[in-house]
Amino acid sequence: MTRQAKADEIGKTAPARSAPARNPSIAVAEEYELARRNGTAESFEPFIARHGDDPLADRARAELKRLTR
């Protein structure tokens, strides 16, 4: 290795390792569980708005309907 190559290597650090990607379904399930624990329309409405196509949105809609009776 040449002097310049050695000098170029000094001070370099290994690339930062990123955390593994989070499973989106787990994140949605956790968000639903938080809304369910809160048990308010104010917690279910944003969940439904964000995840309207998710199967848990149907449960959230049912909970919201029950709350607004």
CSV table of all heavy atoms in Angstrom, one decimal:
chain,number,residue,atom,x,y,z
A,1,MET,N,0.8,-1.2,0.0
A,1,MET,CA,0.0,0.0,0.0
A,1,MET,C,0.9,1.2,0.0
A,1,MET,O,1.9,1.3,0.7
A,1,MET,CB,-0.9,0.0,1.2
A,1,MET,CG,-2.1,0.8,1.2
A,1,MET,SD,-3.1,0.7,2.6
A,1,MET,CE,-4.5,-0.2,1.9
A,2,THR,N,0.6,2.2,-0.8
A,2,THR,CA,1.4,3.4,-0.9
A,2,THR,C,1.1,4.3,0.4
A,2,THR,O,0.1,4.1,1.1
A,2,THR,CB,1.0,4.2,-2.1
A,2,THR,OG1,-0.3,4.7,-2.0
A,2,THR,CG2,1.2,3.4,-3.4
A,3,ARG,N,2.0,5.3,0.6
A,3,ARG,CA,1.8,6.2,1.7
A,3,ARG,C,0.5,7.0,1.6
A,3,ARG,O,-0.2,7.1,2.5
A,3,ARG,CB,2.9,7.2,1.7
A,3,ARG,CG,4.1,6.8,2.4
A,3,ARG,CD,5.0,8.0,2.6
A,3,ARG,NE,6.1,7.5,3.5
A,3,ARG,CZ,7.2,8.1,3.6
A,3,ARG,NH1,7.5,9.2,2.8
A,3,ARG,NH2,8.1,7.7,4.4
A,4,GLN,N,0.1,7.4,0.3
A,4,GLN,CA,-1.1,8.1,0.1
A,4,GLN,C,-2.3,7.2,0.4
A,4,GLN,O,-3.3,7.7,1.1
A,4,GLN,CB,-1.2,8.7,-1.3
A,4,GLN,CG,-2.4,9.5,-1.5
A,4,GLN,CD,-2.5,10.8,-0.6
A,4,GLN,OE1,-1.5,11.4,-0.4
A,4,GLN,NE2,-3.7,11.0,-0.1
A,5,ALA,N,-2.3,6.0,0.0
A,5,ALA,CA,-3.4,5.1,0.2
A,5,ALA,C,-3.6,4.9,1.7
A,5,ALA,O,-4.7,4.9,2.3
A,5,ALA,CB,-3.2,3.8,-0.5
A,6,LYS,N,-2.4,4.7,2.5
A,6,LYS,CA,-2.5,4.5,3.9
A,6,LYS,C,-3.1,5.8,4.6
A,6,LYS,O,-3.9,5.7,5.4
A,6,LYS,CB,-1.1,4.2,4.5
A,6,LYS,CG,-0.7,2.8,4.2
A,6,LYS,CD,0.6,2.6,4.9
A,6,LYS,CE,1.1,1.2,4.5
A,6,LYS,NZ,2.4,0.9,5.1
A,7,ALA,N,-2.6,6.9,4.1
A,7,ALA,CA,-3.1,8.2,4.7
A,7,ALA,C,-4.6,8.4,4.4
A,7,ALA,O,-5.3,8.9,5.2
A,7,ALA,CB,-2.3,9.4,4.1
A,8,ASP,N,-5.0,7.9,3.2
A,8,ASP,CA,-6.5,8.0,2.9
A,8,ASP,C,-7.3,7.1,3.8
A,8,ASP,O,-8.4,7.4,4.1
A,8,ASP,CB,-6.7,7.7,1.4
A,8,ASP,CG,-6.2,8.7,0.5
A,8,ASP,OD1,-5.9,9.8,1.0
A,8,ASP,OD2,-6.0,8.4,-0.7
A,9,GLU,N,-6.8,6.0,4.2
A,9,GLU,CA,-7.5,5.0,5.0
A,9,GLU,C,-7.6,5.5,6.5
A,9,GLU,O,-8.5,5.2,7.2
A,9,GLU,CB,-6.8,3.6,5.0
A,9,GLU,CG,-7.0,2.9,3.7
A,9,GLU,CD,-8.4,2.7,3.3
A,9,GLU,OE1,-9.2,2.2,4.2
A,9,GLU,OE2,-8.8,3.0,2.2
A,10,ILE,N,-6.6,6.3,6.9
A,10,ILE,CA,-6.6,6.8,8.3
A,10,ILE,C,-7.8,7.7,8.5
A,10,ILE,O,-8.0,8.6,7.7
A,10,ILE,CB,-5.3,7.5,8.7
A,10,ILE,CG1,-4.2,6.5,8.6
A,10,ILE,CG2,-5.4,8.1,10.0
A,10,ILE,CD1,-2.8,7.1,8.8
A,11,GLY,N,-8.5,7.6,9.5
A,11,GLY,CA,-9.7,8.5,9.8
A,11,GLY,C,-11.0,8.0,9.2
A,11,GLY,O,-12.0,8.5,9.5
A,12,LYS,N,-10.9,7.0,8.3
A,12,LYS,CA,-12.2,6.5,7.8
A,12,LYS,C,-12.8,5.6,8.8
A,12,LYS,O,-12.1,4.9,9.5
A,12,LYS,CB,-11.9,5.6,6.5
A,12,LYS,CG,-11.7,6.5,5.3
A,12,LYS,CD,-11.7,5.6,4.1
A,12,LYS,CE,-11.5,6.5,2.8
A,12,LYS,NZ,-11.4,5.6,1.6
A,13,THR,N,-14.1,5.6,8.9
A,13,THR,CA,-14.8,4.7,9.8
A,13,THR,C,-15.7,3.8,9.0
A,13,THR,O,-16.0,4.0,7.9
A,13,THR,CB,-15.7,5.6,10.8
A,13,THR,OG1,-16.6,6.3,10.0
A,13,THR,CG2,-14.9,6.5,11.6
A,14,ALA,N,-16.0,2.7,9.7
A,14,ALA,CA,-16.9,1.8,9.1
A,14,ALA,C,-18.3,2.4,8.8
A,14,ALA,O,-18.7,3.3,9.6
A,14,ALA,CB,-17.1,0.5,10.0
A,15,PRO,N,-19.0,2.0,7.8
A,15,PRO,CA,-20.3,2.6,7.5
A,15,PRO,C,-21.2,2.3,8.7
A,15,PRO,O,-21.2,1.3,9.4
A,15,PRO,CB,-20.8,1.9,6.3
A,15,PRO,CG,-19.7,1.0,5.8
A,15,PRO,CD,-18.6,1.0,6.8
A,16,ALA,N,-22.1,3.3,9.0
A,16,ALA,CA,-23.0,3.1,10.1
A,16,ALA,C,-24.0,2.0,9.8
A,16,ALA,O,-24.5,1.9,8.6
A,16,ALA,CB,-23.8,4.4,10.4
A,17,ARG,N,-24.3,1.2,10.7
A,17,ARG,CA,-25.3,0.2,10.5
A,17,ARG,C,-26.7,0.7,10.9
A,17,ARG,O,-26.8,1.3,12.0
A,17,ARG,CB,-25.0,-1.1,11.4
A,17,ARG,CG,-23.7,-1.7,11.0
A,17,ARG,CD,-23.5,-2.9,11.8
A,17,ARG,NE,-22.2,-3.5,11.4
A,17,ARG,CZ,-21.8,-4.7,11.7
A,17,ARG,NH1,-22.5,-5.5,12.4
A,17,ARG,NH2,-20.6,-5.1,11.3
A,18,SER,N,-27.6,0.5,10.1
A,18,SER,CA,-29.0,0.9,10.4
A,18,SER,C,-29.8,-0.2,11.1
A,18,SER,O,-29.4,-1.4,10.9
A,18,SER,CB,-29.7,1.4,9.2
A,18,SER,OG,-29.8,0.4,8.2
A,19,ALA,N,-30.7,0.1,11.8
A,19,ALA,CA,-31.6,-0.9,12.4
A,19,ALA,C,-32.4,-1.5,11.3
A,19,ALA,O,-32.7,-0.9,10.3
A,19,ALA,CB,-32.5,-0.2,13.4
A,20,PRO,N,-32.8,-2.8,11.5
A,20,PRO,CA,-33.6,-3.5,10.6
A,20,PRO,C,-35.0,-2.7,10.4
A,20,PRO,O,-35.5,-2.1,11.4
A,20,PRO,CB,-33.8,-4.9,11.1
A,20,PRO,CG,-33.3,-4.9,12.5
A,20,PRO,CD,-32.5,-3.6,12.7
A,21,ALA,N,-35.5,-2.8,9.2
A,21,ALA,CA,-36.8,-2.2,9.0
A,21,ALA,C,-37.9,-2.8,9.9
A,21,ALA,O,-37.9,-4.0,10.1
A,21,ALA,CB,-37.2,-2.3,7.5
A,22,ARG,N,-38.8,-1.9,10.4
A,22,ARG,CA,-39.8,-2.4,11.3
A,22,ARG,C,-41.0,-3.0,10.4
A,22,ARG,O,-41.3,-2.4,9.4
A,22,ARG,CB,-40.3,-1.2,12.1
A,22,ARG,CG,-41.2,-1.6,13.2
A,22,ARG,CD,-41.3,-0.6,14.3
A,22,ARG,NE,-42.1,-1.1,15.3
A,22,ARG,CZ,-43.0,-0.5,16.0
A,22,ARG,NH1,-43.2,0.8,15.7
A,22,ARG,NH2,-43.7,-1.0,16.9
A,23,ASN,N,-41.5,-4.0,10.9
A,23,ASN,CA,-42.7,-4.7,10.2
A,23,ASN,C,-43.9,-3.7,10.3
A,23,ASN,O,-44.4,-3.4,11.4
A,23,ASN,CB,-43.0,-6.0,10.9
A,23,ASN,CG,-44.1,-6.8,10.2
A,23,ASN,OD1,-45.0,-6.2,9.6
A,23,ASN,ND2,-44.0,-8.1,10.3
A,24,PRO,N,-44.4,-3.2,9.2
A,24,PRO,CA,-45.5,-2.3,9.2
A,24,PRO,C,-46.8,-2.8,9.9
A,24,PRO,O,-47.5,-2.1,10.6
A,24,PRO,CB,-45.8,-2.0,7.8
A,24,PRO,CG,-44.6,-2.4,7.0
A,24,PRO,CD,-43.9,-3.5,7.9
A,25,SER,N,-47.0,-4.1,9.7
A,25,SER,CA,-48.2,-4.7,10.4
A,25,SER,C,-48.2,-4.6,11.9
A,25,SER,O,-49.2,-4.4,12.6
A,25,SER,CB,-48.6,-6.1,10.0
A,25,SER,OG,-47.9,-6.5,8.9
A,26,ILE,N,-47.0,-4.8,12.4
A,26,ILE,CA,-46.8,-4.7,13.9
A,26,ILE,C,-47.0,-3.3,14.3
A,26,ILE,O,-47.7,-3.1,15.4
A,26,ILE,CB,-45.4,-5.3,14.3
A,26,ILE,CG1,-45.3,-6.8,14.0
A,26,ILE,CG2,-45.1,-5.0,15.7
A,26,ILE,CD1,-44.0,-7.4,14.2
A,27,ALA,N,-46.5,-2.4,13.6
A,27,ALA,CA,-46.7,-1.0,14.0
A,27,ALA,C,-48.1,-0.6,14.0
A,27,ALA,O,-48.6,0.1,14.9
A,27,ALA,CB,-45.9,-0.1,13.0
A,28,VAL,N,-48.9,-1.0,13.0
A,28,VAL,CA,-50.3,-0.7,12.9
A,28,VAL,C,-51.1,-1.4,14.0
A,28,VAL,O,-51.9,-0.8,14.6
A,28,VAL,CB,-50.9,-1.2,11.5
A,28,VAL,CG1,-52.4,-1.1,11.5
A,28,VAL,CG2,-50.3,-0.3,10.4
A,29,ALA,N,-50.7,-2.6,14.3
A,29,ALA,CA,-51.4,-3.3,15.4
A,29,ALA,C,-51.1,-2.6,16.8
A,29,ALA,O,-52.0,-2.5,17.6
A,29,ALA,CB,-50.9,-4.8,15.5
A,30,GLU,N,-49.9,-2.2,16.9
A,30,GLU,CA,-49.6,-1.4,18.2
A,30,GLU,C,-50.4,-0.1,18.3
A,30,GLU,O,-50.8,0.2,19.3
A,30,GLU,CB,-48.1,-1.2,18.3
A,30,GLU,CG,-47.3,-2.4,18.6
A,30,GLU,CD,-45.8,-2.2,18.5
A,30,GLU,OE1,-45.3,-1.1,18.1
A,30,GLU,OE2,-45.0,-3.1,18.8
A,31,GLU,N,-50.5,0.5,17.1
A,31,GLU,CA,-51.2,1.8,17.1
A,31,GLU,C,-52.7,1.5,17.4
A,31,GLU,O,-53.4,2.3,18.1
A,31,GLU,CB,-51.1,2.5,15.7
A,31,GLU,CG,-51.6,3.9,15.7
A,31,GLU,CD,-51.4,4.6,14.4
A,31,GLU,OE1,-50.5,4.2,13.7
A,31,GLU,OE2,-52.2,5.5,14.1
A,32,TYR,N,-53.3,0.4,16.8
A,32,TYR,CA,-54.7,0.1,17.1
A,32,TYR,C,-54.8,-0.2,18.6
A,32,TYR,O,-55.8,0.2,19.2
A,32,TYR,CB,-55.1,-1.1,16.3
A,32,TYR,CG,-56.4,-1.7,16.8
A,32,TYR,CD1,-57.6,-1.0,16.4
A,32,TYR,CD2,-56.5,-2.8,17.6
A,32,TYR,CE1,-58.8,-1.5,16.9
A,32,TYR,CE2,-57.7,-3.2,18.1
A,32,TYR,CZ,-58.9,-2.6,17.7
A,32,TYR,OH,-60.1,-3.0,18.2
A,33,GLU,N,-53.9,-1.0,19.2
A,33,GLU,CA,-54.0,-1.3,20.6
A,33,GLU,C,-54.0,-0.1,21.5
A,33,GLU,O,-54.7,0.0,22.5
A,33,GLU,CB,-52.9,-2.3,21.0
A,33,GLU,CG,-52.9,-2.8,22.4
A,33,GLU,CD,-54.2,-3.5,22.7
A,33,GLU,OE1,-54.9,-4.1,21.8
A,33,GLU,OE2,-54.6,-3.5,23.9
A,34,LEU,N,-53.2,0.9,21.1
A,34,LEU,CA,-53.1,2.1,21.9
A,34,LEU,C,-54.4,2.9,21.8
A,34,LEU,O,-55.0,3.3,22.8
A,34,LEU,CB,-52.0,3.0,21.3
A,34,LEU,CG,-51.8,4.3,22.0
A,34,LEU,CD1,-51.4,4.1,23.5
A,34,LEU,CD2,-50.7,5.1,21.4
A,35,ALA,N,-55.0,2.9,20.6
A,35,ALA,CA,-56.3,3.6,20.4
A,35,ALA,C,-57.4,2.8,21.2
A,35,ALA,O,-58.2,3.4,21.9
A,35,ALA,CB,-56.7,3.6,18.9
A,36,ARG,N,-57.3,1.5,21.2
A,36,ARG,CA,-58.3,0.7,22.0
A,36,ARG,C,-58.2,0.9,23.5
A,36,ARG,O,-59.1,1.1,24.2
A,36,ARG,CB,-58.1,-0.8,21.6
A,36,ARG,CG,-59.2,-1.7,22.1
A,36,ARG,CD,-58.9,-3.1,22.0
A,36,ARG,NE,-57.8,-3.5,22.9
A,36,ARG,CZ,-57.9,-3.6,24.2
A,36,ARG,NH1,-59.0,-3.3,24.8
A,36,ARG,NH2,-56.8,-4.0,24.9
A,37,ARG,N,-56.9,1.0,23.9
A,37,ARG,CA,-56.7,1.3,25.4
A,37,ARG,C,-57.2,2.6,25.8
A,37,ARG,O,-57.8,2.8,26.8
A,37,ARG,CB,-55.2,1.1,25.7
A,37,ARG,CG,-54.9,-0.3,26.0
A,37,ARG,CD,-53.5,-0.4,26.6
A,37,ARG,NE,-52.6,-0.7,25.5
A,37,ARG,CZ,-51.4,-0.2,25.3
A,37,ARG,NH1,-50.9,0.6,26.3
A,37,ARG,NH2,-50.7,-0.5,24.3
A,38,ASN,N,-57.0,3.6,24.9
A,38,ASN,CA,-57.5,5.0,25.2
A,38,ASN,C,-59.0,5.0,25.2
A,38,ASN,O,-59.7,5.7,26.0
A,38,ASN,CB,-57.0,6.0,24.1
A,38,ASN,CG,-55.5,6.3,24.3
A,38,ASN,OD1,-55.0,6.2,25.4
A,38,ASN,ND2,-54.9,6.7,23.3
A,39,GLY,N,-59.6,4.2,24.2
A,39,GLY,CA,-61.1,4.0,24.2
A,39,GLY,C,-61.9,5.2,23.9
A,39,GLY,O,-63.0,5.4,24.4
A,40,THR,N,-61.3,6.2,23.1
A,40,THR,CA,-62.1,7.4,22.8
A,40,THR,C,-62.2,7.5,21.3
A,40,THR,O,-61.4,7.0,20.5
A,40,THR,CB,-61.3,8.6,23.3
A,40,THR,OG1,-60.1,8.8,22.7
A,40,THR,CG2,-61.1,8.6,24.8
A,41,ALA,N,-63.2,8.3,20.9
A,41,ALA,CA,-63.4,8.6,19.5
A,41,ALA,C,-62.2,9.3,19.0
A,41,ALA,O,-61.7,9.1,17.8
A,41,ALA,CB,-64.7,9.4,19.3
A,42,GLU,N,-61.6,10.2,19.8
A,42,GLU,CA,-60.4,11.0,19.4
A,42,GLU,C,-59.2,10.1,19.1
A,42,GLU,O,-58.3,10.5,18.4
A,42,GLU,CB,-60.1,12.0,20.4
A,42,GLU,CG,-61.1,13.1,20.6
A,42,GLU,CD,-62.3,12.7,21.3
A,42,GLU,OE1,-62.3,11.7,22.1
A,42,GLU,OE2,-63.4,13.4,21.2
A,43,SER,N,-59.2,8.9,19.6
A,43,SER,CA,-58.1,8.0,19.4
A,43,SER,C,-58.4,7.1,18.2
A,43,SER,O,-57.4,6.7,17.4
A,43,SER,CB,-57.7,7.2,20.6
A,43,SER,OG,-58.8,6.4,21.0
A,44,PHE,N,-59.6,6.7,18.0
A,44,PHE,CA,-60.0,5.8,16.8
A,44,PHE,C,-60.0,6.6,15.5
A,44,PHE,O,-59.6,6.0,14.5
A,44,PHE,CB,-61.3,5.1,17.1
A,44,PHE,CG,-61.2,4.0,18.1
A,44,PHE,CD1,-61.8,4.1,19.3
A,44,PHE,CD2,-60.4,2.9,17.8
A,44,PHE,CE1,-61.8,3.0,20.2
A,44,PHE,CE2,-60.3,1.8,18.7
A,44,PHE,CZ,-61.0,1.9,19.9
A,45,GLU,N,-60.5,7.8,15.5
A,45,GLU,CA,-60.7,8.6,14.3
A,45,GLU,C,-59.3,8.7,13.5
A,45,GLU,O,-59.3,8.4,12.3
A,45,GLU,CB,-61.3,9.9,14.5
A,45,GLU,CG,-62.8,9.7,14.9
A,45,GLU,CD,-63.5,11.0,15.4
A,45,GLU,OE1,-62.7,11.9,15.8
A,45,GLU,OE2,-64.7,11.0,15.5
A,46,PRO,N,-58.3,9.1,14.1
A,46,PRO,CA,-57.0,9.3,13.4
A,46,PRO,C,-56.5,7.9,12.9
A,46,PRO,O,-55.9,7.8,11.8
A,46,PRO,CB,-56.0,9.9,14.3
A,46,PRO,CG,-56.8,10.4,15.5
A,46,PRO,CD,-58.1,9.7,15.5
A,47,PHE,N,-56.7,6.9,13.7
A,47,PHE,CA,-56.3,5.5,13.3
A,47,PHE,C,-57.0,5.1,12.0
A,47,PHE,O,-56.3,4.7,11.1
A,47,PHE,CB,-56.5,4.5,14.4
A,47,PHE,CG,-56.2,3.1,14.0
A,47,PHE,CD1,-54.9,2.7,14.1
A,47,PHE,CD2,-57.2,2.3,13.4
A,47,PHE,CE1,-54.6,1.4,13.6
A,47,PHE,CE2,-56.8,1.0,13.0
A,47,PHE,CZ,-55.5,0.6,13.1
A,48,ILE,N,-58.3,5.3,12.0
A,48,ILE,CA,-59.1,5.0,10.8
A,48,ILE,C,-58.6,5.8,9.6
A,48,ILE,O,-58.5,5.3,8.5
A,48,ILE,CB,-60.6,5.2,11.1
A,48,ILE,CG1,-61.0,4.1,12.1
A,48,ILE,CG2,-61.4,5.0,9.8
A,48,ILE,CD1,-62.4,4.4,12.7
A,49,ALA,N,-58.3,7.1,9.8
A,49,ALA,CA,-57.9,8.0,8.7
A,49,ALA,C,-56.6,7.5,8.1
A,49,ALA,O,-56.4,7.6,6.9
A,49,ALA,CB,-57.8,9.4,9.2
A,50,ARG,N,-55.7,7.1,9.0
A,50,ARG,CA,-54.3,6.6,8.5
A,50,ARG,C,-54.3,5.2,8.0
A,50,ARG,O,-53.6,4.9,7.1
A,50,ARG,CB,-53.4,6.7,9.7
A,50,ARG,CG,-52.8,8.1,10.0
A,50,ARG,CD,-51.6,8.0,10.9
A,50,ARG,NE,-52.0,7.5,12.3
A,50,ARG,CZ,-52.4,8.3,13.3
A,50,ARG,NH1,-52.6,9.6,13.1
A,50,ARG,NH2,-52.7,7.8,14.4
A,51,HIS,N,-55.2,4.4,8.5
A,51,HIS,CA,-55.1,2.9,8.1
A,51,HIS,C,-56.4,2.4,7.7
A,51,HIS,O,-56.8,1.3,8.0
A,51,HIS,CB,-54.6,2.1,9.3
A,51,HIS,CG,-53.3,2.7,9.9
A,51,HIS,ND1,-52.1,2.6,9.3
A,51,HIS,CD2,-53.1,3.3,11.1
A,51,HIS,CE1,-51.2,3.2,10.0
A,51,HIS,NE2,-51.8,3.6,11.1
A,52,GLY,N,-57.2,3.2,6.9
A,52,GLY,CA,-58.5,2.8,6.5
A,52,GLY,C,-58.7,1.5,5.8
A,52,GLY,O,-59.7,0.9,5.8
A,53,ASP,N,-57.6,1.1,5.1
A,53,ASP,CA,-57.7,-0.2,4.3
A,53,ASP,C,-57.2,-1.4,5.1
A,53,ASP,O,-57.4,-2.5,4.7
A,53,ASP,CB,-56.8,-0.1,3.1
A,53,ASP,CG,-57.4,0.9,2.1
A,53,ASP,OD1,-58.6,1.2,2.1
A,53,ASP,OD2,-56.6,1.4,1.2
A,54,ASP,N,-56.7,-1.2,6.3
A,54,ASP,CA,-56.2,-2.3,7.1
A,54,ASP,C,-57.4,-3.0,7.8
A,54,ASP,O,-58.4,-2.3,8.2
A,54,ASP,CB,-55.2,-1.7,8.2
A,54,ASP,CG,-54.5,-2.8,8.9
A,54,ASP,OD1,-55.0,-3.3,9.9
A,54,ASP,OD2,-53.4,-3.1,8.5
A,55,PRO,N,-57.3,-4.3,7.9
A,55,PRO,CA,-58.4,-5.0,8.6
A,55,PRO,C,-58.7,-4.5,10.0
A,55,PRO,O,-59.9,-4.6,10.4
A,55,PRO,CB,-57.9,-6.5,8.6
A,55,PRO,CG,-56.9,-6.6,7.5
A,55,PRO,CD,-56.3,-5.2,7.4
A,56,LEU,N,-57.7,-4.0,10.7
A,56,LEU,CA,-58.0,-3.4,12.0
A,56,LEU,C,-58.8,-2.2,12.0
A,56,LEU,O,-59.4,-1.8,13.0
A,56,LEU,CB,-56.6,-3.2,12.8
A,56,LEU,CG,-55.9,-4.4,13.2
A,56,LEU,CD1,-54.5,-4.0,13.8
A,56,LEU,CD2,-56.7,-5.2,14.3
A,57,ALA,N,-58.9,-1.5,10.9
A,57,ALA,CA,-59.7,-0.3,10.7
A,57,ALA,C,-61.2,-0.7,10.9
A,57,ALA,O,-62.0,0.1,11.4
A,57,ALA,CB,-59.5,0.4,9.4
A,58,ASP,N,-61.5,-1.9,10.4
A,58,ASP,CA,-62.9,-2.4,10.6
A,58,ASP,C,-63.3,-2.5,12.1
A,58,ASP,O,-64.3,-2.1,12.5
A,58,ASP,CB,-63.2,-3.7,9.9
A,58,ASP,CG,-63.1,-3.6,8.4
A,58,ASP,OD1,-63.4,-2.4,7.9
A,58,ASP,OD2,-62.8,-4.6,7.7
A,59,ARG,N,-62.3,-3.0,12.9
A,59,ARG,CA,-62.5,-3.1,14.3
A,59,ARG,C,-62.6,-1.7,14.9
A,59,ARG,O,-63.4,-1.5,15.8
A,59,ARG,CB,-61.4,-3.9,15.0
A,59,ARG,CG,-61.4,-5.3,14.7
A,59,ARG,CD,-60.3,-6.0,15.6
A,59,ARG,NE,-60.1,-7.3,15.2
A,59,ARG,CZ,-59.1,-8.0,15.8
A,59,ARG,NH1,-58.3,-7.5,16.7
A,59,ARG,NH2,-58.9,-9.3,15.4
A,60,ALA,N,-61.8,-0.8,14.5
A,60,ALA,CA,-61.8,0.5,15.0
A,60,ALA,C,-63.1,1.2,14.7
A,60,ALA,O,-63.6,1.9,15.5
A,60,ALA,CB,-60.6,1.3,14.4
A,61,ARG,N,-63.6,1.0,13.5
A,61,ARG,CA,-64.9,1.6,13.1
A,61,ARG,C,-66.0,1.0,14.0
A,61,ARG,O,-66.9,1.8,14.4
A,61,ARG,CB,-65.2,1.3,11.6
A,61,ARG,CG,-64.4,2.1,10.7
A,61,ARG,CD,-64.9,1.8,9.2
A,61,ARG,NE,-63.9,2.4,8.3
A,61,ARG,CZ,-62.9,1.7,7.8
A,61,ARG,NH1,-62.7,0.4,8.0
A,61,ARG,NH2,-62.0,2.3,7.0
A,62,ALA,N,-66.0,-0.3,14.3
A,62,ALA,CA,-67.0,-0.8,15.2
A,62,ALA,C,-66.9,-0.2,16.6
A,62,ALA,O,-67.9,0.1,17.2
A,62,ALA,CB,-66.8,-2.4,15.2
A,63,GLU,N,-65.7,-0.1,17.0
A,63,GLU,CA,-65.5,0.5,18.4
A,63,GLU,C,-66.0,2.0,18.4
A,63,GLU,O,-66.6,2.4,19.3
A,63,GLU,CB,-64.0,0.5,18.8
A,63,GLU,CG,-63.5,-0.9,19.1
A,63,GLU,CD,-64.1,-1.4,20.4
A,63,GLU,OE1,-64.4,-0.6,21.3
A,63,GLU,OE2,-64.2,-2.6,20.5
A,64,LEU,N,-65.7,2.7,17.3
A,64,LEU,CA,-66.1,4.1,17.2
A,64,LEU,C,-67.6,4.2,17.2
A,64,LEU,O,-68.2,5.0,17.8
A,64,LEU,CB,-65.5,4.7,15.9
A,64,LEU,CG,-65.8,6.2,15.7
A,64,LEU,CD1,-65.3,7.0,16.8
A,64,LEU,CD2,-65.1,6.6,14.4
A,65,LYS,N,-68.2,3.3,16.4
A,65,LYS,CA,-69.7,3.2,16.4
A,65,LYS,C,-70.3,3.0,17.7
A,65,LYS,O,-71.3,3.6,18.1
A,65,LYS,CB,-70.2,2.2,15.3
A,65,LYS,CG,-71.6,2.2,15.0
A,65,LYS,CD,-71.9,1.2,13.9
A,65,LYS,CE,-73.4,1.2,13.6
A,65,LYS,NZ,-73.7,0.2,12.5
A,66,ARG,N,-69.7,2.0,18.4
A,66,ARG,CA,-70.2,1.7,19.8
A,66,ARG,C,-70.0,2.9,20.7
A,66,ARG,O,-70.9,3.2,21.5
A,66,ARG,CB,-69.4,0.5,20.3
A,66,ARG,CG,-69.8,0.0,21.7
A,66,ARG,CD,-68.9,-1.1,22.2
A,66,ARG,NE,-67.6,-0.7,22.4
A,66,ARG,CZ,-67.1,0.1,23.5
A,66,ARG,NH1,-68.0,0.5,24.4
A,66,ARG,NH2,-65.9,0.4,23.6
A,67,LEU,N,-69.0,3.7,20.6
A,67,LEU,CA,-68.7,4.8,21.4
A,67,LEU,C,-69.7,6.0,21.2
A,67,LEU,O,-70.0,6.7,22.1
A,67,LEU,CB,-67.3,5.3,21.2
A,67,LEU,CG,-66.2,4.5,21.8
A,67,LEU,CD1,-64.8,5.0,21.4
A,67,LEU,CD2,-66.3,4.5,23.3
A,68,THR,N,-70.1,6.1,19.9
A,68,THR,CA,-71.0,7.2,19.5
A,68,THR,C,-72.5,7.0,19.6
A,68,THR,O,-73.3,7.8,19.2
A,68,THR,CB,-70.6,7.7,18.1
A,68,THR,OG1,-70.8,6.6,17.2
A,68,THR,CG2,-69.2,8.2,18.1
A,69,ARG,N,-72.8,5.8,20.2
A,69,ARG,CA,-74.3,5.5,20.3
A,69,ARG,C,-74.8,6.3,21.5
A,69,ARG,O,-74.3,6.6,22.5
A,69,ARG,CB,-74.5,4.0,20.6
A,69,ARG,CG,-74.3,3.2,19.4
A,69,ARG,CD,-74.7,1.8,19.7
A,69,ARG,NE,-74.1,0.9,18.7
A,69,ARG,CZ,-74.1,-0.4,18.8
A,69,ARG,NH1,-74.7,-1.0,19.9
A,69,ARG,NH2,-73.7,-1.1,17.9
